[in-house]
């Protein structure tokens, strides 16, 4: 491998931050988990994996070809990558309270429908390949990477979002079960009541 563990770790951190940025996948995943539980949501998460592998691969191939034609392209792309992250950060601050739109086709019931919805929501976004073309050169020298390097990059690109999406689906499913179970709801209310009483007792003593 030509890429270092530090480079991969930094890239993994960037992918994690991007995953934590809400988008259509979050909306569709939450809607499916609320309507059909974890069993309805996990196929969507698996479908998203295809795009999370496809777009970085296309970006790597495209950048490698451009580099072979234009000298100095990698240097320019490093500044583009830095600028892209700065732009995304500023836009998140400016639109922090904006709502996220969704497509009702992404929440159709059924495992196959969920899988296809995951594929559609990620593959149907060609801007993703442009994002990766801007980001990957900021972390790796794409003129020197090997097949093993590419495998590691693709593994990070899909594994982190997959684990995050599955965890989110599981949490929403558990919350759904809690809210629909009278016994669980009663326990939560009892615990909450005890805590409120404790706070009420503690306030005069503070």
């Amino acid at each position: 491998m030509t890429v270092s563990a530090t480079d991969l770790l930094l890239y993994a951190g960037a992918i994690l931050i991007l995953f934590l940025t809400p988008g259509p996948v979050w909306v569709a995943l939450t809607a499916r988990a609320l309507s059909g539980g974890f069993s309805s949501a996990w196929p969507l998460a698996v479908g998203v994996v295809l795009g999370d592998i496809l777009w970085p691969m296309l970006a790597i191939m495209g950048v490698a070809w451009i580099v072979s034609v234009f000298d100095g392209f990698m240097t320019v792309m490093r500044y583009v990558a830095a600028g892209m992250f700065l732009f995304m950060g500023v836009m998140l601050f400016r639109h922090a309270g904006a709502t996220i739109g969704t497509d009702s086709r992404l929440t159709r019931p059924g495992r196959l429908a969920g899988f296809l919805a995951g594929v559609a929501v990620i593959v149907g976004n060609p801007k993703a390949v442009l994002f990766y073309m801007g980001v990957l050169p900021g972390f790796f020298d794409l003129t020197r990477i090997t097949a093993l390097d590419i495998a590691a990059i693709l593994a990070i690109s899909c594994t982190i979002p997959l684990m995050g999406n599955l965890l989110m689906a599981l949490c929403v499913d558990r919350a759904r079960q809690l809210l629909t179970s009278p016994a669980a709801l009663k326990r939560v209310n009892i615990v909450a009541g005890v805590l409120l009483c404790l706070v009420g007792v503690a306030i005069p003593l503070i």
Side-chain angles (χ1 to χ4, degrees), residues 178-179 181-196:
L178 182 65
L179 294 175
S181 168
L185 193 57
K186 182 179 179 179
R187 286 195 295 269
V188 169
N189 286 334
I190 291 174
V191 172
V194 170
L195 292 175
L196 288 173

Side-chain angles (χ1 to χ4, degrees), residues 86-111:
L86 289 171
F87 175 76
M88 290 175 61
V90 171
M91 293 304 291
L92 281 175
F93 279 120
R94 292 186 60 185
H95 304 284
T99 58
I100 305 167
T102 187
D103 187 338
S104 61
R105 291 173 295 179
L106 302 180
T107 56
R108 288 175 180 168
R111 290 184 179 178

Side-chain angles (χ1 to χ4, degrees), residues 25 42-58 112 114-125 128 132 154-155 157-159 161-162 165:
V25 174
W42 71 258
L44 185 141
V46 173
V48 170
V49 169
L50 292 184
D52 286 333
I53 293 175
L54 174 66
W55 292 131
M57 187 66 195
L58 289 178
L112 179 60
F115 176 79
L116 294 177
V119 174
V121 75
I122 193 71
V123 175
N125 182 16
Y132 280 109
L154 297 182
S157 298
C158 68
T159 301
L162 175 62
N165 286 331

Side-chain angles (χ1 to χ4, degrees), residues 33 38 41 164-177:
F38 183 77
N165 286 331
L166 291 176
L167 180 61
M168 180 188 298
L170 186 62
C171 290
V172 173
D173 177 60
R174 291 295 179 267
R176 170 179 173 267
Q177 293 179 20

